[in-house]
Amino acid sequence: MSPQQVQFQREMGWAIALHGGAGDIPLSLPAERRKPREQALRRCLEIGVAALKANRSPLDVVELVVRELENNPNFNAGKGSVLTSKGTVEMEACIMDGITKECGAVSGLSTVVNAISLARLVMEKTPHIYLAFDAAEAFAKEQGVETLDMTHFITPENVERLKQAKEANRVQIDYTQSIQKDVSEETPNANGDSQIGTVGCVAVDSQGNLATATSTGGLVNKMAGRIGDTPIIGAGTYANNLCAVSATGKGEAIIRATVARDVAALMEYKGLSLKEAAAYVIDECVPKGNAGLVAVSSTGEVTMQFNTTGMFRACATEDGYSEVGIWHTSL
Ligand code: ASP
């Protein structure tokens, strides 16, 4: 089925989905950690729905929602970004418009309050797609976006998370050394924190315009300079005229599987529906326990799939359906 044929089948309205990270979220997650995230998901969903109803473009909608999530310290992006093995913050983000395939990405930010908006500026104000580290920071200053000292982004919870990740890494290395004598040096072991995650949003309007945005602090205890899937077009983030996808989970696994692009490719080349394509990629292409995604199609279909214990997520469609969930059943 050609993309044009899929477009002609369009009969549904707008749709939006967002996530606050996928991972090994324990079913016993204490209420004081669960509730603020649930509330944030609901509030961000309302903000996104209101913007779609007000005829804001999907690109504006995904940026708006991701900015809200970045400003919330309960998620691993912006203010709540997890820390590198050096205790620093290196944020990254990506935004993409489905119809035009215009996109922008940033990595290695340590002072920019809303990385997603800088990614949009890279898309709109430069001939390039991706800026990183010092040059991205310099571009932020040049564009006059809000910046704050790196200490603003370092929350006590993330200092503790880094401590725990280093401790877990040390225990793992002690164990490995006891069975494998040639491991002599401690290497940073980035691990997916079980209770905090990357943020993302996808949206389609009733004309079938699509957009996606993803933003993250990366993985706890990552090496300085590590770039994950989030800013990589086709891995953590991708949109075309058929669908918009935002992924979350272990970046290295998501990059290897080109998760977001594969969903679009299965629709484009094999004629799969959005749900079929997303389920195939999550179930068959990424090792279990590694990834989740939210996606919408140009026909207003929405899907939220994950092969982890849970994924903080929410969605709504024009026909009145809405869902907020963490584990495999919705809340
Ligand atoms: N995918 C992100 C990364 O690997 C992390 C996450 O989704 O929580 O950088």
Side-chain angles (χ1 to χ4, degrees), residues 76 92 196-198 216 218-219 226 228-230 248-251 254:
N76 172 20
E92 42 194 9
I196 184 164
T198 291
T216 190
L219 294 181
R226 177 262 190 189
D229 59 300
T230 297
T248 170
K250 301 261 170 63
I254 294 169

Side-chain angles (χ1 to χ4, degrees), residues 225-289:
R226 177 262 190 189
I227 289 171
D229 59 300
T230 297
I232 297 183
I233 310 294
T237 311
Y238 187 74
N240 65 5
N241 63 332
L242 297 177
C243 66
V245 184
S246 172
T248 170
K250 301 261 170 63
E252 286 71 9
I254 294 169
I255 293 169
R256 286 187 190 104
T258 55
V259 164
R261 170 60 198 161
D262 268 20
V263 173
L266 285 168
M267 294 178 74
E268 188 174 343
Y269 301 140
K270 290 285 190 184
L272 266 57
S273 71
L274 180 79
K275 283 194 177 104
E276 290 166 343
Y280 185 85
V281 172
I282 291 297
D283 295 343
E284 309 293 335
C285 307
V286 196
K288 198 165 162 40

Side-chain angles (χ1 to χ4, degrees), residues 75-148:
F75 297 103
N76 172 20
K79 171 78 180 151
S81 290
V82 297
L83 307 180
T84 69
S85 60
K86 292 188 169 158
T88 54
V89 169
E90 291 183 359
M91 299 173 277
E92 42 194 9
C94 183
I95 192 163
M96 185 163 187
D97 179 81
I99 301 290
T100 62
K101 290 195 184 154
E102 292 285 310
C103 46
V106 285
S107 278
L109 301 177
S110 55
T111 70
V112 175
V113 174
N114 293 110
I116 199 64
S117 295
L118 191 67
R120 185 162 179 181
L121 287 168
V122 172
M123 168 178 134
E124 290 177 343
K125 304 275 175 166
T126 81
H128 308 303
I129 287 176
Y130 195 170
L131 293 181
F133 294 92
D134 289 352
E137 287 281 344
F139 177 67
K141 306 247 157 37
E142 189 189 301
Q143 292 295 317
V145 304
E146 190 183 1
T147 56
L148 287 169

